[in-house]
C-alpha cells in the first residue's frame, strides 16, 4: 500500500512539503484523500494545476486556490483561514494506480498556493496527479520523472516559449503546445507583463485588457498572475508536462538590471532604489507562489535564486539561467547604441560572479550529450550597421556584455562540451543562429547554436516576414521569422531537431498552427542544418 514515509515542512514558511513515495507502490482507489469540508462553496481550482522541476525520482506539484481570481487584494476571494488540500499521484490517467498521496495546508500568507515536492518515484516514468479540497476536485495533470543519472533515453520531446502579453492576443499557442504533447516545457521569461490597461497597445488595439494598475505591490502581482493563470489555454499547457521556468524583465519591471529599475528618478515619483527593492520583493514572492518551483527558490525579500541545472539522464543538462538579477546596468541609456566601447570591458557581467562560476563548473562536469542554456536575451552578435567600423548593438542583450558572453562561450569550448545549445526568448521574433567565440573573425569556428523563440502573443500577429536586412552582414544569423508561436525540439543521442511552430494570428482565438522552418543539429557537429 502506498504510504508517506516522511514529510518535512519548509521552514521558510511558503507551505511546500517534501514527500517521499515508496518506489513501485500502488493501490487501486477511486478518489483522492478525503479532507474536512473547507467551507469553500464554489470551485477553487480556477487557476489550474502545474508540475515542474523533474528529477529522476520526483517533481514539484503546484496549485493555487481562488474562487474570485481577479479580486483586487490579490487573494482570490479565499477565506483568511488555511484550507486543507489533498493531492495524489498515480501511474495511470484514470488515477486507479496511486503511488503517493498527502494533504497540504494552503494558507492566506501564501495566497493559498500549494507546493508539493515528491521524491522516491521511479525514474523515467510518466505520472498523473490531481488535487481536492472539500467536494471540489481539480483536473488531472500529466507529468514525468527524468531518467536515471546513468541512463541515455532514446528521445526527449521538449518545447520552449516566452513572452505572453495577455493584452496582445489569445494564448492559442499554449493550446497547440499542449496538443503537441511534449515531455518537458521551458518558459524563458515574460510569463506576464506589468503594464496597466492602455499602456502597451498594439496597432489596431488590444483584444484583451489587464485588470488593475501597473504591478508594483504584492497584491497587484498576485492579481496579475491570477488573471494569466485563469486562461484555459495556459492551463492546458501547464497540465500536459512538467515546466522549467525562469523570469526575464516583465515579471518585475521592463528592462530592470539588478537593483536598478527602468525609470530611476525620484524627483518624478518614479522608482528609487529602495522602492524598487520593495517592488522586486513583491514580484518574487508572487512569482514563487504561482510557479512549480522547489523550496530552494523560496525568495528572501528582494533576492531569489532561480539558476539551477536539471539533468535528463545522460542525454541533456538544462542550465536554467538568470540574466536580470546579477547583471551590470545597461550602458548608454539602454536600447540599440552605436560604438559603445564600455560594452567590451572585461569586468562587465551579465550573470554575476557566482552564476558564471556555477555555469562554467557545470560545463566541466557534464557527461551529457547536450548542454542547453535556458536563458532570456539575444546571445549571438547582432550588429544593425553594415559598416565594419560601426557597431550598432543592443545594450540589453549579450552584445552589451561581450566579455561575459566570450567567457561563457570559451568555457564550453575549453570544457569540450559535446553539443552546446542556447535557448532564448525576449525579442518577439524567431531566430536560428550559429554561435562563435569571435564574431569579428570570419575564420572563427562555429562552436554552438542559438535557437530563439518568438513570443506567444507579444506585439500581436506579426507580419510573416522571413527576412531581416541584418542577416546580410551577420552571416551567423541563419533564420528569421516575424510570427507568434513557440519551438518544438526533439533531442536524441544523434541529433537535436527544432521545429518553429507559428500561428496565423493571435488577435482572435482559434488560429491554426504550422511549422515555418525546421533545423537539425548533429551530434558533435555544431551549426545548423536545414531539416527537410
Amino acid at each position: 500500500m502506498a504510504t508517506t514515509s516522511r514529510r518535512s515542512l519548509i521552514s521558510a514558511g511558503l507551505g511546500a512539503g517534501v514527500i517521499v513515495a515508496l518506489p513501485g507502490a500502488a493501490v487501486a482507489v477511486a478518489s483522492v484523500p478525503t479532507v474536512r469540508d473547507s467551507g469553500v462553496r464554489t470551485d477553487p481550482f480556477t487557476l489550474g494545476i502545474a508540475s515542474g522541476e523533474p528529477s529522476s525520482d520526483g517533481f514539484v506539484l503546484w496549485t493555487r486556490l481562488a474562487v474570485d481570481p481577479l479580486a483586487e487584494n490579490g487573494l482570490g476571494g479565499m477565506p483568511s483561514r488555511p484550507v486543507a488540500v489533498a493531492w495524489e499521484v498515480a501511474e495511470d490517467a484514470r488515477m486507479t494506480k496511486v503511488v503517493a498521496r498527502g494533504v497540504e495546508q494552503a494558507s492566506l500568507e501564501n495566497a493559498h498556493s500549494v507546493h508539493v515536492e515528491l521524491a522516491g518515484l521511479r525514474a523515467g516514468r510518466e505520472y498523473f496527479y490531481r488535487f481536492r479540497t472539500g467536494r471540489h476536485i481539480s483536473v488531472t495533470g500529466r507529468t514525468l520523472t527524468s531518467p536515471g543519472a546513468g541512463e541515455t533515453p532514446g528521445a526527449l520531446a521538449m518545447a520552449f516559449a516566452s513572452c505572453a502579453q495577455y493584452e496582445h492576443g489569445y494564448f492559442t499557442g499554449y493550446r497547440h503546445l499542449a496538443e503537441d504533447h511534449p515531455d518537458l516545457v521551458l518558459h524563458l521569461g515574460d510569463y506576464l507583463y506589468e503594464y496597466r490597461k492602455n499602456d502597451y497597445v498594439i496597432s489596431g488595439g488590444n483584444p484583451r485588457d489587464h485588470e488593475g494598475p501597473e504591478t508594483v505591490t504584492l497584491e497587484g502581482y498576485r492579481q496579475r498572475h491570477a488573471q494569466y493563470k485563469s486562461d484555459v489555454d495556459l492551463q492546458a499547457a501547464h497540465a500536459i508536462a512538467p515546466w522549467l521556468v525562469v523570469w526575464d524583465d516583465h515579471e518585475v519591471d521592463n528592462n530592470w538590471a539588478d537593483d536598478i529599475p527602468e525609470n530611476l528618478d525620484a524627483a518624478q515619483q518614479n522608482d528609487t532604489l529602495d522602492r524598487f527593492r520593495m517592488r522586486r520583493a513583491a514580484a518574487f514572492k508572487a512569482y514563487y507562489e504561482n510557479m512549480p518551483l522547489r523550496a530552494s527558490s523560496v525568495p528572501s525579500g528582494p533576492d531569489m535564486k532561480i539558476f539551477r541545472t536539471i539533468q535528463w539522464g545522460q542525454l541533456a543538462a538544462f542550465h536554467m539561467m538568470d540574466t536580470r538579477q546579477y547583471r551590470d546596468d545597461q550602458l548608454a541609456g539602454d536600447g540599440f547604441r552605436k560604438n559603445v566601447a564600455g560594452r567590451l570591458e572585461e569586468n562587465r557581467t551579465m550573470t554575476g560572479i557566482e552564476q558564471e562560476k556555477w555555469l562554467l563548473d557545470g560545463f566541466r562536469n557534464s557527461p551529457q550529450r547536450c548542454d542547453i542554456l535556458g536563458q532570456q536575451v539575444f546571445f549571438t552578435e547582432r550588429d544593425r550597421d553594415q559598416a565594419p567600423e560601426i557597431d550598432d548593438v543592443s545594450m540589453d542583450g549579450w552584445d552589451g556584455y561581450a566579455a561575459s558572453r566570450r567567457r561563457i562561450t570559451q568555457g564550453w569550448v575549453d570544457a569540450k562540451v559535446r553539443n552546446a545549445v542556447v535557448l532564448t526568448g525576449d525579442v518577439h521574433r524567431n531566430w536560428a543562429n550559429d554561435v562563435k567565440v569571435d564574431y569579428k573573425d570570419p575564420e572563427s569556428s562555429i562552436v554552438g547554436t542559438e535557437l530563439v523563440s518568438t513570443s506567444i502573443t507579444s506585439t500581436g500577429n506579426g507580419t510573416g516576414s522571413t527576412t531581416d536586412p541584418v542577416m546580410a552582414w551577420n552571416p551567423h544569423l541563419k533564420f528569421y521569422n516575424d510570427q507568434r508561436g513557440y519551438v518544438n525540439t526533439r533531442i536524441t543521442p544523434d541529433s537535436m531537431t527544432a521545429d518553429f511552430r507559428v500561428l496565423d494570428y493571435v488577435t482572435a482565438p482559434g488560429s491554426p498552427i504550422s511549422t515555418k522552418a525546421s533545423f537539425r543539429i548533429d551530434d558533435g557537429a555544431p551549426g545548423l542544418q536545414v531539416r527537410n
Side-chain angles (χ1 to χ4, degrees), residues 129 143 176 180 189 199 239 293 319 324 338 402 456 461 488 496:
Y129 65 98
T143 191
H176 285 296
D180 287 344
D199 274 0
L293 287 163
H319 307 285
R324 288 290 165 192
K338 294 184 178 181
I456 289 290
N461 293 329
N488 276 341
M496 176 176 180

Side-chain angles (χ1 to χ4, degrees), residues 256-493:
W256 65 280
D258 194 4
D259 287 341
I260 302 173
E262 178 184 23
N263 298 309
L264 183 61
D265 186 351
Q268 297 299 319
Q269 298 302 307
N270 292 318
D271 282 331
T272 64
L273 294 180
D274 287 342
R275 276 204 297 265
F276 182 66
R277 287 180 65 81
M278 293 173 62
R279 180 180 188 178
R280 208 173 82 172
F284 287 0
K285 179 169 172 57
Y287 188 82
Y288 181 83
E289 290 171 347
N290 286 277
M291 293 294 174
L293 287 163
R294 294 188 181 274
S296 55
S297 290
V298 169
S300 176
D303 300 311
M304 180 174 171
K305 183 179 178 182
I306 62 166
F307 66 85
R308 73 267 190 212
T309 297
I310 292 84
Q311 297 181 347
W312 204 265
Q314 292 198 324
L315 184 63
F318 295 93
H319 307 285
M320 305 302 290
M321 299 177 63
D322 181 349
T323 61
R324 288 290 165 192
Q325 193 173 183
Y326 313 105
R327 66 156 70 191
D328 291 320
D329 192 16
Q330 297 94 338
L331 294 170
D334 207 350
F336 276 81
R337 296 291 184 268
K338 294 184 178 181
N339 291 348
V340 178
R343 77 182 187 91
L344 305 175
E345 291 178 358
E346 287 295 323
N347 63 349
R348 277 187 64 72
T349 180
M350 174 74 82
T351 63
I353 295 172
E354 179 187 356
Q355 185 178 192
E356 182 177 300
K357 182 180 185 301
W358 157 81
L359 186 58
L360 297 180
D361 287 346
F363 293 153
R364 286 189 287 268
N365 297 324
S366 175
Q368 274 76 19
R369 290 291 184 112
C370 197
D371 280 84
I372 296 172
L373 279 64
Q375 62 92 50
Q376 296 82 354
V377 293
F378 210 90
F379 191 82
T380 313
E381 183 171 273
R382 184 173 44 141
D383 185 355
R384 298 199 309 181
D385 199 300
Q386 187 173 6
E389 67 276 10
I390 299 176
D391 290 329
D392 184 7
V393 298
S394 170
M395 296 296 104
D396 189 56
W398 287 88
D399 279 336
Y401 305 78
S404 189
R405 174 177 61 196
R406 190 199 68 248
R407 289 192 297 271
I408 288 170
T409 309
Q410 189 65 54
W412 78 57
V413 172
D414 293 345
K416 295 181 171 55
V417 165
R418 187 163 178 157
N419 301 289
V421 180
V422 181
L423 305 183
T424 301
D426 183 59
V427 296
H428 309 163
R429 306 291 186 274
N430 286 313
W431 292 85
N433 311 318
D434 289 334
V435 177
K436 297 184 173 186
V437 176
D438 184 357
Y439 295 97
K440 299 305 182 188
D441 179 4
E443 303 301 319
S444 180
S445 299
I446 298 169
V447 298
T449 305
E450 180 181 25
L451 304 172
V452 183
S453 176
T454 186
S455 64
I456 289 290
T457 56
S458 301
T459 68
N461 293 329
T463 65
S465 171
T466 57
T467 302
D468 189 297
V470 305
M471 298 170 73
W473 55 89
N474 291 270
H476 47 276
L477 306 180
K478 299 296 185 181
F479 169 70
Y480 166 86
N481 165 252
D482 178 17
Q483 285 171 280
R484 310 288 76 82
Y486 55 93
V487 181
N488 276 341
T489 72
R490 181 176 174 82
I491 306 169
T492 73

Side-chain angles (χ1 to χ4, degrees), residues 175 198 204 224 231:
R175 171 67 59 174
N198 295 327
R224 189 62 50 84
D231 187 283

Side-chain angles (χ1 to χ4, degrees), residues 7 15-20 50-52 58-63 85-87 89 101-104 113-119 131 288 292-294:
R7 179 177 185 274
V18 179
I19 310 296
V20 178
S51 69
F59 34 71
V60 175
L61 302 181
W62 171 94
T63 193
V85 180
W87 57 269
V89 176
R101 56 179 12 155
V103 177
E104 295 292 325
S113 61
V114 174
H115 294 73
V116 182
E117 293 189 28
L118 282 98
F131 298 88
Y288 181 83
L293 287 163
R294 294 188 181 274

